Structures are given as structure tokens and as C-alpha cells.
């Protein structure tokens, strides 16, 4: 009779997000960041029109779309790493390459 109690204690001690919740959070986060990148692209194009600006922020927008698709397909960890590294690279390229 100890087995049901052990199963209950394991399920109670497990705290965290379900896979479905994690996917939804990543999708919402990537969508919000996509909107923010689009807004930054518009602001940067208003101040200076450049193909490099479009390239950097266009790549960031594509990256956000890829992360949304990865999250929909259950690859949330890969999507999280890709989103973090990719957006950091886009911001670094903005700081280093764009005057």
C-alpha cells in the first residue's frame, strides 16, 4: 500500500511547467520579441536607411519566426537557446556594424 503514497509524493514534489505551458510561453515570448524587433526596425529605418539595417533586423525577425515554429513542434529548449543567442548576436551586430 506504500506505492500509491509514493506516487502521490512524487507528483506533489514536481514543480514546474508542463510541456504545453512551456511551448505557449516560448511562443508568446518570441511573438512579443518579433513585434519589438519590427518596431526597432521601423525606428532605425526612419533615422537611417540602410540595407545593413534591414539585414540585421530582418534576420532577427526570421529568427523569431523560426523559434515560434520550433516551439510549436516541441523543441522549446532549442528554441530558447536559439532565441537568446540569435537576438544577442543581432544586438551585437547593431552595436558593432551600424553607425
Amino acid at each position: 500500500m506504500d506505492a500509491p503514497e509514493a506516487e502521490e509524493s512524487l507528483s506533489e514534489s514536481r514543480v514546474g511547467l508542463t510541456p504545453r505551458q512551456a511551448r505557449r510561453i516560448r511562443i508568446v515570448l518570441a511573438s512579443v520579441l518579433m513585434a519589438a524587433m519590427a518596431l526597432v526596425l521601423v525606428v532605425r529605418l526612419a533615422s537611417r536607411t540602410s540595407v545593413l539595417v534591414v539585414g540585421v533586423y530582418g534576420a532577427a525577425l526570421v529568427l523569431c519566426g523560426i523559434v515560434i515554429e520550433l516551439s510549436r513542434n516541441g523543441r522549446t529548449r532549442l528554441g530558447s537557446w536559439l532565441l537568446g543567442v540569435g537576438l544577442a548576436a543581432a544586438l551585437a551586430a547593431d552595436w558593432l556594424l551600424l553607425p
Side-chain angles (χ1 to χ4, degrees):
M1 298 228 178
D2 290 331
E5 292 175 6
E7 289 178 15
E8 287 179 14
S9 65
L10 286 175
S11 65
E12 290 175 2
S13 66
R14 185 176 163 198
V15 177
L17 298 174
T18 64
R20 174 172 276 179
Q21 290 171 333
R23 283 193 303 267
R24 291 197 189 272
I25 288 172
R26 301 301 192 295
I27 289 170
V28 168
L29 180 66
S31 300
V32 167
L33 288 174
M34 181 183 270
M37 286 293 125
L39 182 65
V40 171
L41 174 63
V42 169
V43 169
R44 292 290 290 194
L45 283 177
S47 66
R48 178 178 176 161
T49 305
S50 170
V51 175
L52 195 55
V53 170
V54 174
V56 168
Y57 288 104
L61 289 170
V62 169
L63 178 73
C64 290
I66 289 171
V67 169
I68 290 170
E69 279 301 310
L70 284 173
S71 295
R72 287 183 61 222
N73 292 324
R75 303 288 181 201
T76 55
R77 288 184 193 147
L78 176 63
S80 297
W81 280 101
L82 188 61
L83 187 65
V85 171
L87 290 181
L91 292 175
D94 181 25
W95 182 66
L96 290 172
L97 299 176
L98 303 174

